[in-house]
Amino acid sequence: MHLRADHVESSIPVLRKLVRDNPLGVLTTAIRSSIAPFIQSSHIPFILSVDDEDSKEELGVLRGHVARQNPQSKVMIEAAQASQSSEPNVLEEEVLVLFTSAAQQHYVTPKFYTETKPVTGKVVPTWNYAAVQAYGRAKIYWDHKSEDSIAFLSKQIAELSEHAEASVMGFTGKGDRQGSWKVSDAPERFIELLRTNIIGIEIKIDRLEGKFKMSQEMSLGDREGVIKGFAGLGTETGTAVSKLVKERSDLKESQS
């Protein structure tokens, strides 16, 4: 990820929040194998766990699951079994998970640059977005008969469902909001059968990088034009991007 000074976000709590607000990550591995391509990616929803929520430094652990039939799963299982790591089933090479804010990304038209465009015309389109990249070593829970894998997957599935039902869907059971769906609502045997068809992945994050590209590289006048332009679109995404551009613009001004 290219992290120019205007766009970089180094606050770990801010980065953890973006991950939790946008749990669908792109898991990317680079593993040599005779059965699949070297580089593979899959869209995987993750849970981010930390021991101390007040910590400004703890990166945390990502936990997710992948369909066993996925070619990426097969390569990770093969690599985990062959790994020479001191910890069983830990991949030797690091993996990457990319998270992008779904509600805070948008094409930026040059028409929004109300300071520069009328004077020089030297403006071009771009794209505003907020993203986090997490790097770390992955432990693969591939043996569906082992107690460790059963315990990991049972916990991961339950916690992911709870997070998505409450935080994504808003099913909190409070006020007029309906209660959440729980794994226990499904037949136990049905869940057991499904569990045999997935593998677990646990990534201890070693590096967390974040980028909020929200027109900070532009002049104040152009940023104000972007804020007004997105607000004027009258869409949810436009309003969200307008708000974030203003927040990042105000932050830049306070630091200058």
Side-chain angles (χ1 to χ4, degrees):
M1 181 185 287
H2 173 48
L3 295 171
R4 59 177 287 174
D6 286 334
H7 302 149
V8 67
E9 175 55 69
S10 56
S11 169
I12 299 304
V14 170
L15 302 184
R16 293 197 310 241
K17 184 177 187 304
L18 187 146
V19 170
R20 285 172 169 162
D21 289 346
N22 304 273
L24 184 65
V26 180
L27 169 67
T28 300
T29 57
I31 303 172
R32 296 206 176 279
S33 170
S34 61
I35 62 174
F38 175 52
I39 298 175
Q40 296 193 78
S41 293
S42 298
H43 288 78
I44 308 297
F46 283 94
I47 281 288
L48 173 61
S49 302
V50 295
D51 292 327
D52 180 6
E53 292 291 346
D54 295 324
S55 172
K56 298 183 185 300
E57 299 178 353
E58 186 179 356
L59 304 182
V61 176
L62 290 169
R63 296 184 174 90
H65 63 269
V66 191
R68 189 175 293 273
Q69 294 80 6
N70 186 324
Q72 192 173 16
S73 293
K74 296 176 181 179
V75 170
M76 288 192 293
I77 291 172
E78 182 183 74
Q81 291 174 316
S83 175
Q84 300 299 310
S85 171
S86 57
E87 187 178 355
N89 297 316
V90 174
L91 302 183
E92 294 182 5
E93 301 296 335
E94 70 177 2
V95 302
L96 161 67
V97 187
L98 169 65
F99 298 91
T100 305
S101 174
Q104 296 169 320
Q105 57 88 18
H106 208 292
Y107 169 82
V108 185
T109 172
K111 294 169 66 175
F112 286 171
Y113 300 139
T114 53
E115 182 173 78
T116 303
K117 182 179 179 295
V119 177
T120 68
K122 294 180 179 181
V123 290
V124 293
T126 189
W127 207 284
N128 278 357
Y129 63 92
V132 169
Q133 290 185 344
Y135 298 82
R137 300 277 301 285
K139 182 173 183 178
I140 309 302
Y141 293 85
W142 58 270
D143 184 356
H144 67 87
K145 294 181 179 179
S146 78
E147 292 184 4
D148 282 350
S149 292
I150 293 172
F152 175 87
L153 287 169
S154 296
K155 185 173 187 292
Q156 191 273 329
I157 293 169
E159 290 183 351
L160 179 61
S161 297
E162 289 169 8
H163 174 73
E165 289 285 316
S167 299
V168 179
M169 301 301 298
F171 295 152
T172 61
K174 298 178 180 178
D176 60 353
R177 301 296 296 176
Q178 59 181 291
S180 63
W181 177 88
K182 296 178 175 56
V183 174
S184 57
D185 291 344
E188 184 176 350
R189 179 57 180 159
F190 173 70
I191 297 299
E192 289 177 0
L193 289 172
L194 291 180
R195 194 170 56 223
T196 64
N197 288 309
I198 59 176
I199 67 169
I201 180 167
E202 182 178 50
I203 304 167
K204 183 179 182 298
I205 301 174
D206 297 322
R207 191 164 82 256
L208 203 58
E209 298 178 348
K211 180 175 184 176
F212 282 67
K213 181 183 176 296
M214 289 291 154
S215 303
Q216 302 98 314
E217 73 280 9
M218 305 303 294
S219 67
L220 178 59
D222 283 338
R223 276 179 269 145
E224 290 175 344
V226 172
I227 294 166
K228 183 178 179 181
F230 276 121
L233 292 180
T235 64
E236 258 186 58
T237 302
T239 299
V241 173
S242 175
K243 180 181 178 182
L244 190 52
V245 171
K246 185 177 189 318
E247 288 177 1
R248 292 285 152 168
S249 178
D250 290 347
L251 179 61
K252 179 174 182 177
E253 290 302 306
S254 69
Q255 294 174 340
S256 62

